[in-house]
Amino acid sequence: MEIPESIKKKLTIPAEEHFYAGHTACQGCGAALGLRYVLKAYGRETIVTIPACCSTIIAGPWPYNTLDANLFHTAFETTGAVIGGIEAALKARGFKVKGEDGIMVVGWAGDGGTADIGLQALSGFIERGHDAVYIMYDNEAYMNTGIQRSGSTPYGAWTTNTPGGKKHFLEKRHKKKVIDIVIAHKIPYAATASVAYPEDFIRKLKKAQKIPGPSFIQLFAPCPTGWRSPTDKSIEIARLAVQTAYFPLFEYENGKYRINMPSTKREPKPIEEFLKYQGRFKYMNRGDIEVLQQWVLKEWETLKKLAEVFG
Amino acid sequence: MAGYKPIRKVVSGNYAAAYAVKHARVQVVAAYPITPQTSIIEKIAEFIANGEVENLQYVPVESEHSAMAASIGASAAGARAFTATSAQGLALMHEMLHWASGARLPIVMVDVNRAMAPPWSVWDDQTDSLAQRDTGWMQFYAENNQEVYDGVLMAFKIAETVNLPAMVVESAFILSHTYDVVDMIPQELVDEFLPPREPLYDLTNFERPFSVGALGTPADYYEFRYKLQKAMEKAEKVIREVGGEFGERFGRDYSSMIDLYRTEDADFVFMGLGSLMGTVKQAVDLLREEGYRVGAAKVRWFRPFPKEEIRELAKNVEGIAVLDRNYSFGMEGILFTEAKGALYNSKARPLMKDYIVGLGGRDVTVNDIRKIAENMKAVVERGEPDVEVDWYHLKR
């Protein structure tokens, strides 16, 4: 559909679509939205690498491709290595990579493929300084294999291998802070983003495009199927994750931290606000909620201090 | 002999591989160190440091799994890609070997044959590479350093013609670290033989976006496998053609997938892979002087497997003594299984016996081959093997 120029001017995110309708994502899928924004930011001269994850299916079976960009499917743990290899090949062949007029090399991997099995390749990718962007879309479990816990699953969450029952067995570890591991590499640019804030996400994607070397974005992407949440609440849940400081939005650039949201001036909303629409948290008792609340606030204080000292 | 002046260098097998990578104008090398492969990638790094290569991107990855994954990314993005490994490293790569062939990427890898642990061993043994039999990779076994060099150059040409990856295999230390004279080919002649790669698909072509490696439903997956097999069948023809062309251009003929040595009037032959067959050839000469009518059949390409050539050979001999520096547990030596299998539906079925030799780098000498010849002669005379699989070196 042609968008009138008068409306185009008012749009704060690019109007061009490079993610086709007819994909196979579930209703309310945060990952599908996220990938759509990535391609809006980078356009079709993008080579996307997708390991085993929901997006393998979302992109469509052979011979289909939901993406209006070239797509290389790869094995679970290899995103960091494959995008490094693609970048090296493009350089050897004399192409401009990254930057505003270069080919964008993008890794698009889920939290399991990043926080767990793919962590080693991610580390190698950052350490070697490839000109590529690695985006971890974080839906906090192995959704494609049927909702099993990953290193990124939060405390108190139900998953199919951390179920709630009479003995009250739920995920007992706090969410692995992949972004902190990434920052420990002294990466040129890392950020968190959320599908509830597309302008912020696209701004960060554009920044990642301009800054030479590797970039990493951890995108909060709700999964109604795995989170047992209403399909029309994905954006609201993602927004509440930010407002409660459960998933604060911030950037790390050149050694400096900058918090985007929530405001550091106000107290974050209580964690119950984030939990309320999600069936995966329904087994939590008061004590569990308190444990998660304390963890969130402690992490939030740490981040605020980092932004204060290294802002 | 072809009319050109070779560049004669005394190099190790590993350096021979590195020079071939240089001469093949490889664009991306992604590799991880492992003994005894390391000096290949060290030498390549030296070429870069000294400005002896142009446009070679060197990616020092954090594991062999990533070495193959990065090679896959590089090859998918149109570059000529190379890596090298050994034993545990090759085993770690295994998953991605399937990915390389399934995505039809003509990556070339040198595997320096090394025994699998435990117990730890860094010495020669073919089980690491032969265990990759079903990954869809072509496999070339080099007898000496010259064949390592020639093998890498031919492997790129063959791989890029049929869009399948290829492994060039050399023995740990026996070749990798032993210096020998290698006739290298002037760069301009290599360039004529091996032009720049023309990729099957190119991720830099955005005219009509496409995806590689997407989910294949039961309605389509089967045909992808069939096409891979068809590529292997085509590879047999291409291997013979490229091997013949190599002979015409450079004077060393590789048009046959098995290398026959003094087999014309042989009563029985030794069959094996790689550097082991150098020792065997020497033993054949001595045994001939001693009155044995023996020959050697060196299997150059293990995948695709030279069924036709083995069937031809079988017509003319009474026995085949297979020398396996490898083992498939619960069965027998791997080459023995394959060679027997190739002959099952053929009329010519000579007596065959499997000699397990040299596992974990144990020395295999001319004298060992002589003893095996004595035993095999008796087997052929008796008309049946004493045992089918003979653990030759056992301390009994």
Side-chain angles (χ1 to χ4, degrees), chain B residues 50-66:
Chain B
N50 293 329
E52 292 179 53
V53 283
E54 291 167 34
N55 293 330
L56 200 163
Q57 292 281 322
Y58 180 70
V59 189
V61 281
E62 80 295 337
S63 76
E64 284 92 349
H65 195 279
S66 283

Side-chain angles (χ1 to χ4, degrees), chain A residues 249-264:
Chain A
L249 301 186
F250 71 98
E251 290 165 276
Y252 170 88
E253 187 183 346
N254 214 7
K256 288 187 188 324
Y257 285 80
R258 195 162 78 95
I259 295 172
N260 312 114
M261 277 168 273
S263 165
T264 52

Side-chain angles (χ1 to χ4, degrees), chain B residues 48 54 70 175 184 195 199 204 210 219 223 264 282 293 376:
Chain B
I48 298 169
E54 291 167 34
L175 299 188
M184 296 188 190
T204 63
F210 62 95
E223 278 67 27
E264 308 80 32
Q282 198 192 345
R293 287 202 302 183
M376 189 66 190

Side-chain angles (χ1 to χ4, degrees), chain A residues 173-193:
Chain A
R173 290 164 190 83
H174 287 293
K175 186 176 175 72
K176 191 191 281 187
K177 303 282 274 193
V178 178
I179 188 89
D180 291 352
I181 299 170
V182 166
I183 290 169
H185 290 73
K186 311 294 175 201
I187 189 171
Y189 183 71
T192 57

Side-chain angles (χ1 to χ4, degrees), chain A residues 137-247:
Chain A
Y137 68 94
D138 188 1
N139 53 28
E140 304 195 318
Y142 291 88
M143 297 312 184
N144 198 32
T145 44
I147 325 168
Q148 294 84 22
R149 61 92 58 188
S150 80
S152 199
T153 300
Y155 179 89
W158 160 93
T159 68
T160 54
N161 61 352
T162 58
K166 281 183 190 151
K167 283 217 153 184
H168 190 68
F169 166 83
L170 293 170
E171 177 54 56
K172 285 294 189 305
R173 290 164 190 83
H174 287 293
K175 186 176 175 72
K176 191 191 281 187
K177 303 282 274 193
V178 178
I179 188 89
D180 291 352
I181 299 170
V182 166
I183 290 169
H185 290 73
K186 311 294 175 201
I187 189 171
Y189 183 71
T192 57
S194 166
V195 292
Y197 300 92
E199 289 94 343
D200 176 75
F201 181 33
I202 286 176
R203 181 181 64 78
K204 286 167 175 170
L205 287 164
K206 293 279 191 191
K207 211 165 185 181
Q209 184 174 20
K210 273 188 221 130
I211 296 171
S215 319
F216 177 87
I217 296 175
Q218 183 173 348
L219 176 72
F220 194 74
C223 168
T225 310
W227 294 7
R228 300 291 189 242
S229 57
T231 54
D232 61 347
K233 292 288 184 201
S234 292
I235 299 303
E236 194 173 338
I237 291 169
R239 196 180 295 127
L240 286 166
V242 173
Q243 290 172 344
T244 57
Y246 169 78
F247 194 91

